[in-house]
Amino acid sequence: MSTVLALATVPVLMAAGLLALMKVPTHLQLTVTDTALIIEPQGLDRWWTRRERIEVPLTTVSSIRIVPRSETPALGGRHGGLHLDGIITAGVFGGTFWDVRRGDQLLMIRCHPGSEFTTLVLQFANPFATLTRTRTVVAHKGSRSTSV
């Protein structure tokens, strides 16, 4: 009986561990160059989003702003990623790239029609600072690159 109990607890412990890991904040690197926004998921975010790098040409960016979760696009068809309602949305869903945990203030990047993604929804520890730095570089399309 104790072997059965021990075997039954293994999946429960694994699920609890996975949920605990999902509470860890997103780990993204956003770099802005003269020509592109480069988003690089780090650590487990690479696994959950199934992406190592996304390059968005600046010419395809139509807007960058902070929005509450309630203003983000609805999840469309699944192309690859992980979604557990209210816990994590990571990957590509209906043309939108997501890397979000439980945050409410999210950085939303809209792209022009015909781009690889229609929208990117990203969570950062300080989304307002990320927005300010990103908009500044995008507006100037400076000759240097900066990471945020």
Side-chain angles (χ1 to χ4, degrees):
M1 182 73 86
S2 63
T3 304
V4 172
L5 182 60
L7 289 174
T9 60
V10 170
V12 172
L13 290 174
M14 289 177 63
L18 184 58
L19 287 173
L21 284 173
M22 288 180 202
K23 289 186 176 187
V24 172
T26 58
H27 192 191
L28 293 168
Q29 179 175 335
L30 174 63
T31 305
V32 185
T33 69
D34 321 356
T35 59
L37 294 174
I38 300 169
I39 296 104
E40 294 174 292
Q42 306 290 308
L44 288 173
D45 288 58
R46 277 188 177 187
W47 185 61
W48 287 325
T49 63
R50 298 182 183 178
R51 294 289 181 132
E52 289 185 21
R53 176 183 171 108
I54 295 170
E55 193 164 327
V56 180
L58 293 180
T59 56
T60 66
V61 174
S62 62
S63 69
I64 304 171
R65 62 192 183 109
I66 303 293
V67 298
R69 184 182 291 268
S70 61
E71 290 183 25
T72 59
L75 292 180
R78 184 174 181 168
H79 298 283
L82 175 64
H83 174 72
L84 295 172
D85 199 30
I87 298 172
I88 182 172
T89 305
V92 180
F93 300 87
T96 298
F97 176 82
W98 293 78
D99 198 356
V100 173
R101 300 302 182 278
R102 295 177 183 253
D104 188 51
Q105 297 297 311
L106 307 173
L107 183 73
M108 187 167 74
I109 302 167
R110 292 266 190 196
C111 299
H112 296 296
S115 302
E116 179 181 6
F117 300 106
T118 57
T119 309
L120 294 93
V121 182
L122 310 170
Q123 182 179 338
F124 290 94
N126 189 340
F128 294 98
T130 303
L131 174 68
T132 301
R133 287 189 295 246
T134 304
R135 276 187 174 169
T136 300
V137 176
V138 169
H140 291 93
K141 294 184 184 175
S143 59
R144 61 186 172 90
S145 66
T146 183
S147 290
V148 291

